[in-house]
Amino acid sequence: MATQPGRATNDIDYRITLGAYVNARLQVNPKAFRIPCNNLLDIYIVRDFLDERDCRELIALIDADNSPSQLLSYNGDQEFRTSHSCNVDPENETVKRVEGKITGLMGIDSTHGETIQGQRYEVGQQFKPHYDFFHKGEAYWEDMMRSGGQRTWTAMVFLNDVEGGGETNFTNCAAKVTPRRGNLLCWNNMDGIGQPNTYAMHQGCPVTAGTKYIITKWYRERPWAYTETPVY
């Protein structure tokens, strides 16, 4: 298996090396399945990643502490992101256990990971097509660069089966993932040369029946430092 990348001479080299490293780990994991999308995007499903207990306890944490989801840069569309979100307490024992599982899967230095965010979608709520990577030139750019730099990998876990809708749809590479309790979905927001990958555009489709719960873990190219700037 590839060796975990250390601090590269520059951020681009780190992104490239990290992409190869995480891909190598996932390709030998018997529970990980690479979603075919013409090699446009590094994207995987890991089945039964979390058990029913983990999912139930995380759902309770999200229900106990959430508020309307925010955006780093408001685009004028009030319907762009309509879910509720919260940062789960990193000192909570369940969260620590889940953090350990995600770190063990991805193999990325835990100091590069943002706090896990929990999200809840009711009927009709959605997150329209967007990228997880940061856009150079936006007002938030300098703050994000100071707090850990560009995002590399995203790891998302579905915490329940959704009665209707709520798929995660990668609009530029024809990959749509149905929520299934305990399954983890992860992808590389960078391409093979360490640049933001436009094929990583995705949306949280509107929920048509029931409620959708997920957690999301984002990784940075450098150790992450908490910032008051709202992070979507």
Side-chain angles (χ1 to χ4, degrees), residues 2-128:
T3 302
Q4 179 172 339
R7 184 67 256 155
T9 55
N10 59 68
D11 291 333
I12 298 296
D13 286 347
Y14 175 78
R15 297 174 194 172
I16 294 169
T17 305
L18 182 70
Y21 166 72
V22 178
N23 271 299
R25 289 181 64 89
L26 294 173
Q27 287 167 8
V28 298
N29 187 319
K31 287 192 172 183
F33 170 75
R34 185 180 178 108
I35 297 176
C37 54
N38 297 319
N39 292 319
L40 300 172
L41 178 67
D42 300 326
I43 178 172
Y44 296 84
I45 283 283
V46 181
R47 299 183 177 93
D48 301 318
F49 179 73
L50 293 184
D51 60 23
E52 190 274 337
R53 173 194 171 192
D54 289 331
C55 293
R56 182 181 69 249
E57 294 180 359
L58 289 167
I59 287 172
L61 292 175
I62 296 168
D63 280 339
D65 179 22
N66 65 80
S67 58
S69 300
Q70 302 182 60
L71 293 168
L72 272 172
S73 180
Y74 180 57
N75 64 4
D77 182 356
Q78 294 185 350
E79 299 300 312
F80 192 80
R81 190 187 190 195
T82 54
S83 60
H84 280 65
S85 306
C86 64
N87 286 337
V88 295
D89 180 4
E91 298 304 315
N92 178 277
E93 290 305 316
T94 297
V95 176
K96 287 182 179 180
R97 182 170 66 248
V98 171
E99 286 266 17
K101 289 182 178 181
I102 296 174
T103 298
L105 173 76
M106 305 295 290
I108 302 173
D109 188 328
S110 62
T111 65
H112 289 234
E114 297 178 24
T115 301
I116 290 176
Q117 186 178 102
Q119 294 133 20
R120 184 180 73 191
Y121 293 78
E122 305 287 355
V123 170
Q125 293 184 333
Q126 64 180 324
F127 197 171
K128 291 184 180 180

Side-chain angles (χ1 to χ4, degrees), residues 112-223:
H112 289 234
E114 297 178 24
T115 301
I116 290 176
Q117 186 178 102
Q119 294 133 20
R120 184 180 73 191
Y121 293 78
E122 305 287 355
V123 170
Q125 293 184 333
Q126 64 180 324
F127 197 171
K128 291 184 180 180
H130 63 280
Y131 300 109
D132 283 357
F133 59 72
F134 302 127
H135 299 268
K136 189 173 183 180
E138 290 285 351
Y140 60 70
W141 176 258
E142 292 300 326
D143 195 10
M144 294 301 102
M145 292 304 100
R146 286 191 298 268
S147 64
Q150 185 61 275
R151 281 182 175 153
T152 55
W153 285 79
T154 297
M156 173 191 294
V157 185
F158 302 106
L159 302 180
N160 68 314
D161 296 330
V162 181
E163 295 176 39
E167 300 90 351
T168 300
N169 181 30
F170 289 81
T171 55
N172 289 350
C173 64
K176 183 182 283 189
V177 181
T178 299
R180 292 287 181 264
R181 187 184 73 189
N183 283 2
L184 179 143
L185 172 67
C186 62
W187 64 91
N188 187 0
N189 295 292
M190 301 292 106
D191 61 20
I193 58 172
Q195 298 297 326
N197 189 347
T198 58
Y199 289 102
M201 177 175 277
H202 58 286
Q203 68 179 127
C205 294
V207 172
T208 58
T211 304
K212 172 187 174 183
Y213 291 88
I214 62 173
I215 58 169
T216 304
K217 178 78 173 176
W218 293 291
Y219 289 93
R220 301 290 193 95
E221 62 193 357
R222 299 189 297 275

